[in-house]
Amino acid sequence: MTDYSKIDFSLIASLDPDEVVSHSYVRDVPLPSGKVLALVTLDNGRDHTRPNTMGPKTMLELGRTYDALTERAARGEIHAVATTGKPFILAAGADLSKINEIPSRAVGLQMAQLGHYVLGKQATFGVPSFVFINGLALGGGTELPLNADYRTIDSSVPAIALPEVFLGLIPGWGGTYLLPNLIGIENALKVIVENPLKQNRMLKGPQAFELGMADAMFAPANFLEDSLRWADGVLSGTVTIERKNAPGKIERLVKWDAAIGIARKMLESKIGTVPQSPYAALDLLKAAKNGTREECFALEDEALADRIISDQLQASIYAFNLVQKRAKRPAGAPDKALAQKVTKVGVIGAGLMASQFALLFVRRLQVPVVITDLDQGRVDKGLAYIAEEIGALEAKGRISPDEANRLRALVSGTTDKADFNDCDWVIEAVFEDLAVKQQVFAEIEKHVSPTTILATNTSSLSVEQIGEKLEHPERVVGFHFFNPVAVMPLLEIVKAPATNDATLATAFATAATLRKSAVLTADAPGFVVNRLLAKVMGEAARAVDEGTPVPVVERALAPIGLPMGPFELIDLVGWAVAAHVQDTMVDKFPERFYASENMHKLSQLSQVVEKNKAGKVTDFTKEAKKLMSVGSTPVDEATILRRVEDELAGEIKLMLDEKVVAAAEDIDLCLILGAGWPFQAGGATPYLDRVGASRRVFGATFHDPEIRGVGN
């Protein structure tokens, strides 16, 4: 059993001198039965935009509050203790910005123990403990109620989650033991492992209640009053608690280990074995099957201490800050006041990509959208796709029938470019050919106002050249989406030399309305993501051309932790597209990018690679092998990995010197949001610093100090 008396409380209190403390305010609430409930309210004195957090001073104060209530319960002054939060917020867990100030594993271990020590006091009041989940509850804010005897939840709670695995941590204040023993192992795996790895998916109040994370759910209008009345019923014995998802003997004997095994295989297939926190969480969940509360809490303490000092946590926090902060204040974006209002959107093209654009614009901007193409048949096909997708959203309950009808009414199609005359924003999604893009913009310019924004979705062509023949090239901007359009969060906004600030400001404002994260890039070949992916794909192609088997190449980049191997990626984006991007980069930088004739040959086939059941590439098809010419000097995995690392380090350094983006952080933001670069790597530049590629290539590092864990 952990000896909590060894925690150095004075050291813990000194860790965060600037902490915004969430104080523990207590008031006694007389209940209808005549009993008295002590209600603890967590409140940091700020509005809902600054959530309660559970820093060292907050936890120490809460511990003292709970101790005082334990004494009062012993004297018979109170009959229950309940904890809740300020309006709309229970607690958002630990303040991540302060974790890197923990100086050692020993101190990290004490922080883990402090959480168990304080939250666990709810089990030793001597009277029943309740938590009324009145709002946002994340991380430790979810483990707070898990440590109580009973829980209620507000039906309007927007987010309740244990997101730690997403950030390179584990739920370390009881979550991995208490949750599976409350709602069953399969549900717990969903909350602790599966949801965090799905872009940090969170539960809403009703979803959490359905899983069994709360015993009762009430509407927000009278949530506190209803919760108090319900608690009185529990105390009086008039309310019966039914926990239908709690694991029984059969689940422990049969399901538990099997569910852990399935989850492990799923992780290995989807994310590889580089990320440490998901597997640490699995080990803890496995132990929760038969371990005691004290044993499992001690295991959580050790696992959390390991994660706190890890490189992966620091990299994850760096990546998290990029996505949550830098992405919301894009470097180089002009004054928002310069942005023009967009009241109608035109989409040139009616193919799949163009139709996805139209759907996104009409749904997010709620303005008329008109699409055009070469003939009415193509236009009708595009309109049918959009209508079908709107219907699918309605069927899933993501939009109401009224909104579905309104969106359908806002979309129209035409073959007459004159119908674009009142558009404020026009985006093209035509074939990736310079002459074609120049032609469609020249045709549209005749019909639109001089201030209408002309956005190109080119993935690699020069935005300057696309607009160079126009009368008003200053209103042309690159607006590069990633596929699938509705899912991928990144937008590369490309500034050509002539692009003016009003155009740029409108592009950034539009991106924000579309709920995309925008990064400003210079008008350079491949911009950011495609330029760097071309490096990765080029080195993969070089290794195959030398005679290296496909499985070796696919495994070679596993230490980076990328979501898929290079040939799996190429197969996803399309071999013809990959060949085109490669051609673009080789044409501009023939001395730096590898040209593979095999890639061109393979782009002629409908199926190039063979895959296993998990979707992983295992080899080229027989037809592909017949077309290929390969050498007899294969290389090993280490050689391929080092080549890719060094090539990326060199190219990123050149991009920064050329001012393609403002800083290394923007490179990483693009790769995280546009290429699935893993959080636990922190993007490319922290990884390249850690493995020594930066020093090997240019004798320095991208970050000073490097982004590393404590003592590493």
Side-chain angles (χ1 to χ4, degrees), residues 137-139 142 158-167 187-204 207 211 213 270 320 324 396 398 487:
L138 303 178
T142 295
I160 178 169
L162 292 170
E164 287 86 351
V165 163
F166 175 71
L167 299 167
N187 288 331
L189 282 165
K190 178 178 180 179
V191 177
I192 293 173
V193 178
E194 183 182 330
N195 283 355
L197 296 179
K198 287 183 176 178
Q199 297 297 313
N200 204 16
R201 182 179 293 177
M202 300 185 184
L203 301 169
K204 296 186 183 299
Q207 294 171 312
L211 286 178
M213 294 175 69
K270 290 191 174 181
F320 181 79
Q324 293 297 317
K396 294 175 183 175
R398 296 173 64 182
V487 176

Side-chain angles (χ1 to χ4, degrees), residues 240-251:
T240 302
I241 306 299
E242 181 184 357
R243 291 175 176 163
K244 60 182 181 181
N245 291 332
K249 290 183 179 179
I250 293 177
E251 177 167 336

Side-chain angles (χ1 to χ4, degrees), residues 443-686:
E443 292 174 358
I444 286 294
E445 190 175 40
K446 300 172 187 175
H447 301 286
V448 297
S449 82
T451 58
T452 295
I453 307 299
L454 300 182
T456 171
N457 183 51
T458 181
S459 59
S460 57
L461 298 175
S462 165
V463 176
E464 179 183 19
Q465 289 182 322
I466 289 172
E468 66 183 358
K469 296 181 180 180
L470 297 177
E471 188 176 342
H472 294 284
E474 70 279 1
R475 40 87 169 274
V476 177
V477 64
F479 208 67
H480 181 220
F481 286 89
F482 291 79
N483 209 11
V485 171
V487 176
M488 297 300 286
L490 180 67
L491 258 174
E492 289 176 327
I493 293 182
V494 185
K495 183 183 186 300
T499 308
N500 64 24
D501 283 351
T503 298
L504 265 187
T506 307
F508 276 100
T510 302
T513 307
L514 294 174
R515 302 182 191 175
K516 298 296 183 184
S517 297
V519 174
L520 180 65
T521 87
D523 188 16
F527 314 131
V528 175
V529 175
N530 281 342
R531 181 165 171 174
L532 295 175
L533 289 183
K535 272 289 180 188
V536 175
M537 293 187 291
E539 290 308 315
R542 186 199 303 272
V544 166
D545 289 354
E546 290 170 336
T548 309
V550 168
V552 174
V553 180
E554 290 290 280
R555 290 195 305 267
L557 303 189
I560 300 176
L562 294 173
M564 58 186 71
F567 290 114
E568 187 181 348
L569 173 64
I570 293 173
D571 201 56
L572 176 67
V573 302
W575 290 82
V577 173
H580 172 75
V581 172
Q582 208 69 34
D583 287 346
T584 301
M585 302 313 301
V586 171
D587 180 59
K588 297 294 182 182
F589 308 117
E591 74 286 357
R592 297 210 309 273
F593 283 80
Y594 179 74
S596 171
E597 281 303 314
N598 281 329
M599 191 171 291
H600 280 281
K601 294 176 183 177
L602 296 176
S603 67
Q604 303 168 21
L605 298 176
S606 58
Q607 183 178 348
V608 178
V609 293
E610 295 176 351
K611 297 181 180 180
N612 59 22
K613 291 181 179 179
K616 299 299 179 183
V617 173
T618 57
D619 204 350
F620 289 111
T621 62
K622 292 179 180 179
E623 292 76 10
K625 290 177 180 178
K626 290 176 183 177
L627 292 178
M628 296 171 67
S629 301
V630 298
S632 56
T633 55
V635 292
D636 59 17
E637 294 172 25
T639 300
I640 298 168
L641 178 62
R642 187 170 179 122
R643 283 178 181 176
V644 169
E645 291 171 347
D646 289 359
E647 287 296 320
L648 285 173
E651 198 64 28
I652 291 172
K653 180 64 166 62
L654 285 170
M655 291 167 72
L656 294 174
D657 291 344
E658 295 167 2
K659 299 190 179 345
V660 174
V661 291
E665 287 80 358
D666 294 312
I667 296 280
D668 294 323
L669 187 57
C670 284
L671 290 174
I672 290 166
L673 297 180
W677 201 284
F679 253 57
Q680 97 282 332
T685 62

